[in-house]
Amino acid sequence: TALIHSIKEEQTMISIGNTIKTLRKAKGVTQEEVARELGVSYQAVSKYENEVAQPDISLIPLLAQYFGVTIDELFGYKLDALTNKEKFVRFMADNQILIFQESGEYFINTENFSTNAQISKIGEVLADCICENYLEFDVLTGMAYHGISFSAMAASVLYNKYGKTINYCHARQNPDSRGRMICGHTLQAGERVVIVDDGVSTGQSVDRWIEETKKCVDINVVALVTVFARDDMPGGIGRHLLEEKYGMKVYSVISDQDIQKALEKGIVRR
């Protein structure tokens, strides 16, 4: 009995140690910051993560609250069962990109994609979305401004992870000295283009860019791929009207429905 009890304690310690490390890195905080929240030394947090010691039982609820998970999840019971969408919703919440207001409403602040680790994650999920939907295209282009870095990283992942070589360019907000509104690959008539942006709500900026670009060169816009897309909103063209107007598809990594489901399952909290 004592041996079984010892084995169970060791398994628990390993499980929670790895989970604390995973959640801390996803949240983008240091061991010192976690330590301040718990009222312990950073050396103690290091010991938790390296499975040298377990946190006191009184710290378990504090850890769960700080990382926005349930106590069961803290012990690793649900982490491996999450879908890719659920993991990404929690990634965004942990990194203060998905922000919940006191009113219960939420918004996406893509300004908070500010580290190379975060940008790398975005590039990977966008590239995965492109490949999972079997998009056939010649050029990947990014909308100014956030779509520039997101599309550049996605293009890199498409090559390094999937072995795809495609042309790349991104939009300019203002023309250069030669009047060009594109930086990088020069678009050619008939080329199939996938546009990358951080999100779409009204869809007006994408609509305007396509209209202006088509005045110069008759491209074929295959798809718009975004981190987040809301349902059609008043005052804009919206995702469905974009699809209808240009014969394109709008794909988003997550949607309002994905966030709502994550809330209902307790994966994230308001």
Side-chain angles (χ1 to χ4, degrees):
T1 303
L3 178 59
I4 292 174
H5 181 68
S6 175
I7 291 172
K8 286 184 176 179
E9 283 190 336
E10 182 180 355
Q11 289 174 336
T12 298
M13 182 171 65
I14 291 173
S15 175
I16 195 170
N18 288 337
T19 303
I20 290 172
K21 183 185 295 185
T22 298
L23 293 172
R24 178 179 64 78
K25 289 184 176 181
K27 193 175 180 70
V29 295
T30 64
Q31 291 180 340
E32 288 82 357
E33 289 173 299
V34 176
R36 283 197 297 271
E37 188 71 21
L38 300 179
V40 300
S41 67
Y42 79 88
Q43 291 95 336
V45 176
S46 177
K47 288 180 180 179
Y48 303 157
E49 293 188 358
N50 289 293
E51 303 158 11
V52 175
Q54 292 187 72
D56 186 270
I57 192 168
S58 64
L59 298 178
I60 300 302
L62 293 176
L63 279 164
Q65 182 178 18
Y66 180 65
F67 289 121
V69 299
T70 66
I71 291 176
D72 278 350
E73 289 172 327
L74 192 61
F75 283 92
Y77 294 137
K78 283 183 63 181
L79 287 176
D80 292 338
L82 299 184
T83 67
N84 288 336
K85 282 183 179 289
E86 290 169 343
K87 289 177 182 177
F88 188 64
V89 170
R90 187 152 72 187
F91 168 83
M92 293 182 69
D94 286 343
N95 287 276
Q96 290 78 54
I97 296 156
L98 170 60
I99 300 173
F100 294 97
Q101 299 173 303
E102 291 183 3
S103 64
E105 295 295 315
Y106 56 83
F107 65 96
I108 307 293
N109 184 1
T110 52
E111 294 286 348
N112 287 346
F113 284 115
S114 57
T115 70
N116 60 343
Q118 292 166 338
I119 297 296
S120 177
K121 177 68 172 178
I122 290 302
E124 182 171 17
V125 297
L126 288 168
D128 289 345
C129 182
I130 289 170
C131 291
E132 286 167 3
N133 287 287
Y134 304 103
L135 298 183
E136 297 291 337
F137 61 102
D138 307 302
V139 184
L140 189 71
T141 188
M143 292 288 295
Y145 283 104
H146 293 95
I148 295 175
S149 58
F150 294 175
S151 61
M153 187 58 70
S156 177
V157 174
L158 285 171
Y159 176 74
N160 290 318
K161 182 176 180 178
Y162 291 100
K164 293 181 177 291
T165 299
I166 43 90
N167 294 310
Y168 173 78
C169 61
H170 64 75
R172 297 176 183 267
Q173 282 285 64
N174 299 296
D176 65 6
S177 59
R178 295 166 58 185
R180 295 176 300 180
M181 291 299 295
I182 290 290
C183 184
H185 172 74
T186 300
L187 293 171
Q188 304 295 319
E191 284 187 319
R192 300 165 299 174
V193 178
V194 169
I195 303 171
V196 169
D197 205 0
D198 58 337
V200 58
S201 52
T202 65
Q204 291 177 324
S205 60
V206 174
D207 181 46
R208 185 167 53 250
W209 183 85
I210 295 174
E211 286 289 331
E212 291 300 314
T213 302
K214 279 182 167 288
K215 290 178 183 178
C216 302
V217 57
D218 187 21
I219 58 172
N220 174 20
V221 180
V222 174
L224 167 65
V225 180
T226 70
V227 175
F228 178 76
R230 307 206 78 142
D231 295 331
D232 296 347
M233 298 179 67
I237 184 171
R239 63 184 299 176
H240 298 108
L241 291 178
L242 276 174
E243 291 180 331
E244 183 179 337
K245 182 175 180 179
Y246 297 108
M248 60 190 282
K249 294 290 292 183
V250 177
Y251 298 96
S252 63
V253 177
I254 59 171
S255 64
D256 282 317
Q257 290 78 12
D258 295 319
I259 294 174
Q260 188 59 45
K261 288 178 182 177
L263 284 166
E264 292 170 358
K265 295 176 69 173
I267 294 166
V268 293
R269 289 173 175 77
R270 296 187 187 277

